[in-house]
Amino acid sequence: MTVSLRQKIAVGTYVVRQRLAGRKRYPLVLMLEPLFRCNLACFGCGKIDYPDAILNKRLSVQECLDAVDECGAPMVAIPGGEPLIHKEIGEIVKGIVARKKFVSLCTNALLLEKKLHLFEPSPYLFFSVHLDGLKDHHDKSVCMEGGFEKAVSAIKAAKAKGFAVNVNCTIYDGHPPEDIAKFLDLTEELGVGVSISPGYAYERAPDQEHFLNRRKTKELFRQVFALGKGKTWNITHSTMFLDFLAGNQDFHCTPWGMPTRNIFGWQKPCYLLGEGYAKTFKELMDTTDWDAYGTGRYEKCANCMAHCGYEATATEAIFQHPVAALAVAWRGVKTDGPMAPEIPLENQRPAQYVFDNNVQLTLSQMRANEAREKAAKAAQTSATAA
Ligand code: SF4
Ligand code: SF4
């Protein structure tokens, strides 16, 4: 998200309130996935490998707004799938903006120019356009020739209409630091902020070979940040998160910082892992065994350094150690010297593979609901006829 002063103040006030209230766990950003259907099939995507019955399912406007109210986070990110495919996306965004929540609508931008009329510019609304690098790299990443030009054209069109726009970039193994630096130069030329994060190794992603491990991630980001010294890239993460990416912080993740609501329910434990689902946000917070997840605890978490797991940790670190955080902000991210110790992995529990069960359970529930609705309709028709 592009971070305006208004947003910084709103989020800072929210965090102070949570801390004064003594809340140990609270959400910062609601990840709202109103659908999984997408008009692309990127090689690193772990979100779209579902049967059609699930890809065709949508969260309703009311379900989306209820999730926003239930969760209470000051920011809402709307990823997917491709949210612009949702027929009521305009209404969903309008309802969230009316609640004075900061909305980041994540899109691959293929439909953005066509659908801009559904939205109104607002200090509470940002488009976050998926752009994984310069042309060659982005087109390869989204498996579509011309994807880069489409995205850049949509960014310009949205900006021309007065919308705030940033880009979200996922980094995979094999992306040379020099190319990433050139890409960040381009975002500066385009006048957009950048959210940048290493790709999480989704078990359902078609290409499993290009995900970075933690050591490689840290080395790569050190090289990128070294190339960025003296530049004014608008990277929209906290300096503490960037310092973590460069291997200078030994953070553990904060999975409840960005809770996820999608068509399955409230996802346990985080945006990246779907190990189970709760019916309500409260149930998610109360019943998830948070200590069972994170690097060093669970095999699927071994290489995770994604911003959705660690930005909330970085925010907490700023409040807990303001002097250290100020020092990092003052001197910039360290790009050489020893790294913070890595979390040992010897005692992590092995991965559990629950995807198929979750999908089957949801499909059975959908079929049962459909059968109930059909029976109710038939009963109503025969009552009317009688
Ligand atoms: S645009 Fe996003 S949701 Fe669609 S396939 Fe690519 S990564 Fe997945
Ligand atoms: S490390 Fe944390 S944020 Fe990353 S996948 Fe595991 S639980 Fe989720």
Side-chain angles (χ1 to χ4, degrees), residues 36 38-42 44-48 80-82 108 130 142:
F36 288 121
C38 191
N39 46 3
L40 279 178
C42 306
C45 184
K47 292 279 179 184
I48 55 169
E82 170 52 55
N108 60 37
H130 175 178
V142 300

Side-chain angles (χ1 to χ4, degrees), residues 293-308:
Y293 298 98
T295 306
R297 293 173 176 157
Y298 188 38
E299 192 182 349
K300 287 186 189 173
C301 299
N303 285 313
C304 176
M305 292 184 75
H307 83 282
C308 57

Side-chain angles (χ1 to χ4, degrees), residues 140-293:
K140 204 167 129 199
S141 180
V142 300
C143 306
M144 180 190 164
E145 176 60 35
F148 177 84
E149 286 81 2
K150 274 251 173 208
V152 170
S153 166
I155 289 169
K156 289 180 179 167
K159 280 178 68 75
K161 291 213 161 143
F163 290 99
V165 184
N166 72 359
V167 297
N168 65 77
C169 171
T170 306
I171 299 294
Y172 298 98
D173 198 10
H175 201 159
E178 296 77 15
D179 287 5
I180 299 173
K182 279 184 201 150
F183 164 70
L184 291 168
D185 289 342
L186 171 79
T187 61
E188 211 181 344
E189 279 165 33
L190 289 170
V192 294
V194 191
S195 163
I196 190 165
S197 192
Y200 173 76
Y202 287 109
E203 66 190 79
R204 310 290 298 182
D207 178 351
Q208 290 291 322
E209 284 177 16
H210 287 92
F211 293 113
L212 288 154
N213 63 33
R214 281 170 77 99
R215 182 78 206 180
K216 278 188 173 174
T217 299
K218 295 170 188 178
E219 284 164 357
L220 178 60
F221 276 96
R222 278 194 169 196
Q223 293 174 65
V224 173
F225 296 148
L227 290 166
K229 297 266 179 212
K231 302 210 176 199
T232 50
W233 297 333
N234 180 11
I235 301 183
T236 59
H237 300 293
S238 65
T239 318
M240 289 300 269
F241 175 68
L242 301 182
D243 209 41
F244 164 70
L245 283 183
N248 304 319
Q249 302 290 338
D250 58 353
F251 290 162
H252 287 264
C253 74
T254 303
W256 57 86
M258 297 198 186
T260 300
R261 169 73 163 101
N262 57 35
I263 61 145
F264 295 115
W266 290 89
Q267 183 162 294
K268 295 182 177 188
C270 67
Y271 176 65
L272 304 164
L273 286 180
E275 304 279 294
Y277 292 88
K279 285 198 172 63
T280 63
F281 175 69
K282 186 172 183 324
E283 186 188 320
L284 170 82
M285 296 302 272
D286 291 349
T287 65
T288 305
D289 181 5
W290 300 108
D291 292 339
Y293 298 98

